[in-house]
Amino acid sequence: MSTQELSDIAKRVVHHSLEIKRGEKVLIDIEGEAEEFSNQLMIEIYHAGAYPFLKSTRVSNLKKLIAGATKESLNLWLRHEQYKAEGMDAYIGIKAEENIFEYNDIPRDQYQLYQQNFSQPLQLDYLGKNKWILMRYPTKGMAQLAKLGSEELRTIFYQSCTMDYKKLSENVKPLKERLSKSKTVTVTSPDTDFTFSIQHMDSFMCDGRYNLPDGEIFTAPIRDSVNGVIHFNCPTSFQGYVLEDVRFEFVDGKIASYQGNDRDLLKRILETDDGASYIGEFGIGLNPFITKPMNNILFDEKMSGSLHLAIGQAFPMANNGNKSAIHLDFVLNQQSSHGGGSLYFDKELIRKDGIFIPKDLKNLNGVKGI
């Protein structure tokens, strides 16, 4: 990407997403290689009169640390990182993944030990701050996984990060109002027919504050109200493994049966705790520049014409009371090119084959269409 494009995105992060003020301390946490972007972030943070701090981790080094770690060493490492993060006012988390399967040559139990005793608790500390944002930086590996040329991926990344989020937020207001007034949501697609209640649940518009790219609105089902079947047609990555062709059947809120390419992994995820078998989030993708699955959940859950469910922990902005150590998203693309489908609020057809139907929602179909 050009220096100017990276500078534009850095400005969006510092001034729109985090609203950095003079004197604030900002931690830039990079896993992988994103030197040019981190340089632009530091320049922009200094321009804001704030203080950048940099944590940069090479994947090869991290793998060695994980491979030899014990629970005791991870706890010591965690306390050290928590101490360094304690004085920060804002957090920027960036992953530049060349290979999402990179950690597959670490024994699964060892990687899980790292996740449970270091990665997950440290991330919760970072996300406990008032100002935080998570990003995925475009790499050749990401382009290959998305079946895109590197230049096309960079274009999508730039456009979807620097789009007019204020305008999107304005266009979303009628959809948010409909969510607040609706009692039930019904979703139908090939091998999908399920429904749940959202009565009296809050919703939240994601407009570039916590993720870039962004562009979704989410709420949460009443915990015990979910019934039916949903068959997701986009892959989901979890701890270095890819889950595909996932199908859940719900009875009174809980996943009663499941299928997928890796049933053993699904079983382990769902047995994490009681809340892992319930839904903590329902979201609708709205970013007009993300128009096809990219095999990256941060992008795919924002995709126009998509919706997603997350099993596990609910967000405080739309809290249905579900608690879990995990929060894992699964995406259903309802564009006609992927089998189509319908989204109903109560009995009103809201979206058909990825296209919003009501007149007051037409602006959400995007500047590019679907």
Side-chain angles (χ1 to χ4, degrees), residues 108 236 238-243 258 262-271:
R108 185 175 286 189
T236 289
F238 179 77
Q239 297 184 356
Y241 296 88
V242 175
L243 292 165
Y258 55 91
D262 192 336
R263 281 183 53 83
D264 289 341
L265 179 57
L266 280 171
K267 181 176 186 294
R268 181 165 64 84
I269 292 169
L270 295 173
E271 290 178 351

Side-chain angles (χ1 to χ4, degrees), residues 35 152 154 170 192 317 338 368:
E35 181 179 357
E152 184 179 0
R154 288 193 290 266
E170 188 66 27
T192 292
M317 303 85 111
H338 285 71
K368 293 180 66 178

